[in-house]
Amino acid sequence: MSSKFESSIREIQAPQQRVYDMLSNLENLEKVRDRLPEDKLKDFSFDHDSLSISVPPVGSIRMRVVEREEPKTIKFEAEQSPVPFNFWIQLLPVTETTSKMKLTIKAELNPFIKGMVAKPLQEGLEKIADALQMISY
Protein backbone atom coordinates (compact mmCIF):
# COMPACT_ATOMS: atom_id res chain seq x y z
CA MET A 1 0.00 0.00 0.00
CA SER A 2 1.50 3.29 -1.10
CA SER A 3 1.75 6.15 1.41
CA LYS A 4 2.74 9.73 0.66
CA PHE A 5 4.35 12.18 3.07
CA GLU A 6 4.96 15.83 2.20
CA SER A 7 6.90 18.55 3.97
CA SER A 8 5.46 21.97 4.47
CA ILE A 9 6.27 24.35 1.62
CA ARG A 10 9.42 26.32 2.40
CA GLU A 11 10.50 29.63 0.98
CA ILE A 12 14.18 29.86 0.09
CA GLN A 13 16.03 33.15 -0.26
CA ALA A 14 17.67 32.19 -3.56
CA PRO A 15 16.56 31.85 -7.20
CA GLN A 16 15.16 28.48 -8.31
CA GLN A 17 18.09 27.72 -10.66
CA ARG A 18 20.72 28.33 -7.96
CA VAL A 19 18.88 26.07 -5.51
CA TYR A 20 18.51 23.37 -8.16
CA ASP A 21 22.21 23.58 -9.10
CA MET A 22 23.18 23.14 -5.45
CA LEU A 23 20.80 20.29 -4.60
CA SER A 24 21.13 18.31 -7.83
CA ASN A 25 24.83 17.65 -7.09
CA LEU A 26 24.87 15.64 -3.88
CA GLU A 27 28.54 16.50 -3.29
CA ASN A 28 27.22 19.89 -2.14
CA LEU A 29 25.77 18.16 0.94
CA GLU A 30 29.16 18.73 2.55
CA LYS A 31 27.85 22.24 3.30
CA VAL A 32 25.07 20.92 5.56
CA ARG A 33 26.90 18.04 7.23
CA ASP A 34 27.42 20.09 10.42
CA ARG A 35 23.68 20.85 10.65
CA LEU A 36 22.60 17.21 10.76
CA PRO A 37 21.67 15.83 14.18
CA GLU A 38 24.39 13.24 14.93
CA ASP A 39 22.13 11.28 17.28
CA LYS A 40 19.54 10.81 14.52
CA LEU A 41 21.80 10.29 11.50
CA LYS A 42 25.06 8.34 11.42
CA ASP A 43 27.55 7.17 8.76
CA PHE A 44 26.52 9.92 6.35
CA SER A 45 28.33 9.61 3.00
CA PHE A 46 27.61 10.71 -0.55
CA ASP A 47 28.92 11.25 -4.06
CA HIS A 48 27.49 13.16 -7.05
CA ASP A 49 24.48 10.83 -7.54
CA SER A 50 23.90 8.91 -4.32
CA LEU A 51 23.89 9.16 -0.56
CA SER A 52 24.05 6.68 2.29
CA ILE A 53 23.02 7.24 5.85
CA SER A 54 22.35 5.17 8.93
CA VAL A 55 19.18 6.14 10.79
CA PRO A 56 18.72 4.50 14.18
CA PRO A 57 16.60 2.38 14.68
CA VAL A 58 15.72 2.02 10.96
CA GLY A 59 19.17 0.98 9.74
CA SER A 60 21.13 1.80 6.61
CA ILE A 61 19.51 3.66 3.76
CA ARG A 62 21.06 4.30 0.36
CA MET A 63 19.39 6.55 -2.22
CA ARG A 64 20.35 7.32 -5.79
CA VAL A 65 19.24 10.20 -8.01
CA VAL A 66 17.10 8.62 -10.74
CA GLU A 67 15.85 11.75 -12.46
CA ARG A 68 16.79 15.41 -12.70
CA GLU A 69 14.31 17.78 -14.33
CA GLU A 70 16.12 21.10 -14.39
CA PRO A 71 15.32 23.42 -12.63
CA LYS A 72 12.20 21.90 -11.02
CA THR A 73 12.63 18.38 -9.66
CA ILE A 74 15.23 15.99 -8.29
CA LYS A 75 13.96 12.41 -7.80
CA PHE A 76 15.63 9.75 -5.69
CA GLU A 77 14.96 6.04 -5.34
CA ALA A 78 15.95 3.83 -2.44
CA GLU A 79 18.62 1.29 -3.40
CA GLN A 80 19.03 -0.09 0.09
CA SER A 81 16.29 0.40 2.64
CA PRO A 82 14.08 -1.64 4.97
CA VAL A 83 11.13 -0.20 3.01
CA PRO A 84 10.97 0.62 -0.74
CA PHE A 85 10.51 4.35 -1.26
CA ASN A 86 11.00 7.31 -3.57
CA PHE A 87 11.95 10.79 -2.44
CA TRP A 88 11.77 13.97 -4.43
CA ILE A 89 12.54 17.65 -4.10
CA GLN A 90 10.28 20.08 -5.96
CA LEU A 91 11.36 23.66 -6.61
CA LEU A 92 9.25 26.53 -7.90
CA PRO A 93 10.18 30.14 -8.59
CA VAL A 94 8.52 32.82 -6.48
CA THR A 95 10.41 35.90 -7.62
CA GLU A 96 13.75 36.42 -9.38
CA THR A 97 15.51 36.08 -6.03
CA THR A 98 13.36 33.59 -4.09
CA SER A 99 11.90 30.14 -4.63
CA LYS A 100 9.72 27.55 -2.90
CA MET A 101 10.62 23.97 -2.03
CA LYS A 102 8.58 20.93 -1.06
CA LEU A 103 9.89 17.47 -0.16
CA THR A 104 7.86 14.31 -0.76
CA ILE A 105 8.37 10.67 0.20
CA LYS A 106 6.27 7.93 -1.33
CA ALA A 107 6.76 4.58 0.39
CA GLU A 108 5.26 1.11 0.23
CA LEU A 109 3.93 0.63 3.76
CA ASN A 110 1.45 -1.85 5.14
CA PRO A 111 -1.01 -0.37 7.68
CA PHE A 112 0.91 -1.78 10.68
CA ILE A 113 4.27 -0.33 9.57
CA LYS A 114 2.62 2.95 8.56
CA GLY A 115 1.24 3.34 12.08
CA MET A 116 4.75 2.99 13.51
CA VAL A 117 6.67 5.17 11.03
CA ALA A 118 4.22 7.87 9.91
CA LYS A 119 5.05 10.36 12.69
CA PRO A 120 8.87 9.89 12.65
CA LEU A 121 8.87 10.00 8.82
CA GLN A 122 6.90 13.24 8.76
CA GLU A 123 9.16 14.77 11.43
CA GLY A 124 12.27 13.61 9.56
CA LEU A 125 10.99 15.16 6.34
CA GLU A 126 10.46 18.50 8.12
CA LYS A 127 13.99 18.32 9.60
CA ILE A 128 15.47 17.70 6.14
CA ALA A 129 13.43 20.65 4.83
CA ASP A 130 14.76 22.78 7.73
CA ALA A 131 18.36 21.90 6.85
CA LEU A 132 17.86 22.54 3.12
CA GLN A 133 16.12 25.84 3.84
CA MET A 134 19.09 27.05 5.93
CA ILE A 135 21.76 26.46 3.26
CA SER A 136 23.24 29.65 1.89
CA TYR A 137 22.72 29.12 -1.81
Side-chain angles (χ1 to χ4, degrees), residues 4-125:
K4 195 172 181 181
F5 301 88
E6 296 178 335
S7 73
S8 54
I9 294 171
R10 306 302 183 93
E11 187 157 311
I12 296 181
Q13 300 303 311
Q16 178 188 25
Q17 184 68 51
R18 193 173 332 146
V19 176
Y20 176 87
D21 291 344
M22 168 79 82
L23 298 180
S24 63
N25 177 354
L26 298 184
E27 290 169 343
N28 290 322
L29 290 172
E30 190 60 50
K31 295 177 174 137
V32 296
R33 183 188 289 273
D34 61 338
R35 295 210 177 105
L36 299 172
E38 279 299 315
D39 58 325
K40 304 262 192 273
L41 307 168
K42 301 189 182 319
D43 306 323
F44 185 50
S45 66
F46 46 85
D47 59 29
H48 186 268
D49 290 318
S50 65
L51 69 88
S52 298
I53 199 155
S54 183
V55 184
V58 178
S60 290
I61 295 173
R62 181 173 171 81
M63 293 188 297
R64 174 165 296 284
V65 175
V66 291
E67 186 182 326
R68 289 178 173 93
E69 188 183 338
E70 187 169 352
K72 302 189 298 195
T73 314
I74 306 154
K75 282 191 174 178
F76 299 81
E77 192 172 275
E79 285 189 331
Q80 174 189 337
S81 167
V83 175
F85 73 92
N86 290 336
F87 169 72
W88 60 98
I89 301 171
Q90 293 166 281
L91 303 167
L92 289 171
V94 176
T95 68
E96 300 229 337
T97 58
T98 62
S99 50
K100 289 193 288 193
M101 173 188 72
K102 182 170 80 171
L103 309 180
T104 305
I105 290 178
K106 190 173 176 187
E108 296 303 316
L109 303 173
N110 69 42
F112 177 72
I113 298 288
K114 183 178 179 179
M116 293 191 319
V117 302
K119 189 172 183 241
L121 242 173
Q122 188 66 48
E123 288 172 355
L125 206 52

